[in-house]
Amino acid sequence: MLKIWTDGSCLGNPGPGGWGMLVMNEEESEILFLESDSDNPTTNNRMELKAMICAFGYAESHPNDYFVIYSDSAYVVNSCNSWIRGWAANGWKNSKKQTVENLELMQALYGYLVRPFFNAEVRKCDGHAGDTGNELADALATHNSKK
C-alpha cells in the first residue's frame, strides 16, 4: 500500500492558488513522487479538486499498487465518497436542481472513480494537525499559490 496526500490553497477566494500532491511509502519514511502547480484566478475548492485528480492519475499509472489518498477537504472527500454518484445520476444537478459547482473537475474525478481497475480509497485527514504528509502537501500548495 502507498499513501498519497493532497492539498489546495488559495490566497483570496477567488485569487491566486496552488495545489500539491505527494506519494509516500506505507511507512511514510520516503517520498516517492510529488507534483504541484498553480492557477490564477481560482478558488480553494478548485485547487483541492485538482490535487485529487492528480492523485487519481498517479494511482491509475500504478495499477499494481493500492493507494490510500488523504485530503483535509471535507468537500473533496465527501464528493468522492458520497455525493458524486448521485450528481452523475441526476445529470450533474445538486439537491437544489442547480448545476454542480466545478463541473468539469467533478466529471474528471467521476471518470476515475467508476473505472473497474480503481485501486484507491479516499480518506479525510485533519489539516494542520501535525500529519507529516498533510503538512508537506500544504507546503507545496501554499508555495504555488504565492507564485
Side-chain angles (χ1 to χ4, degrees), residues 1 6 16 33 43 47 52 54 73 88-89 103 112 114 116 121 127:
M1 176 185 68
T6 67
F33 180 81
T43 65
M47 295 295 89
M52 185 60 69
C54 182
S73 168
L103 177 61
Y112 285 110
V114 297
E121 63 183 273

Side-chain angles (χ1 to χ4, degrees), residues 12-112:
N13 210 16
W19 59 266
M21 183 277 293
L22 64 104
V23 181
M24 296 180 86
N25 61 354
E26 186 171 4
E27 298 78 24
E28 300 177 27
S29 61
E30 182 181 359
I31 296 173
L32 305 174
F33 180 81
L34 57 85
E35 189 169 345
S36 62
D37 203 356
S38 61
D39 200 4
N40 186 19
T42 192
T43 65
N44 188 69
N45 282 345
R46 289 187 66 79
M47 295 295 89
E48 295 278 3
L49 289 166
K50 285 191 175 189
M52 185 60 69
I53 290 166
C54 182
F56 286 162
Y58 185 88
E60 178 183 47
S61 68
H62 295 81
N64 295 324
D65 293 314
Y66 186 79
F67 295 89
V68 176
I69 305 173
Y70 297 94
S71 173
D72 61 11
S73 168
Y75 170 68
V76 171
V77 172
N78 289 334
S79 293
C80 291
N81 291 337
S82 300
W83 305 332
I84 204 162
R85 285 171 178 77
W87 291 336
N90 292 327
W92 297 101
K93 302 291 183 191
N94 62 23
S95 61
K96 297 177 183 176
K97 308 294 184 218
Q98 299 169 332
T99 301
V100 172
E101 289 187 36
N102 304 305
L103 177 61
E104 77 284 1
L105 298 176
M106 288 297 179
Q107 289 173 328
L109 283 179
Y110 183 73
Y112 285 110

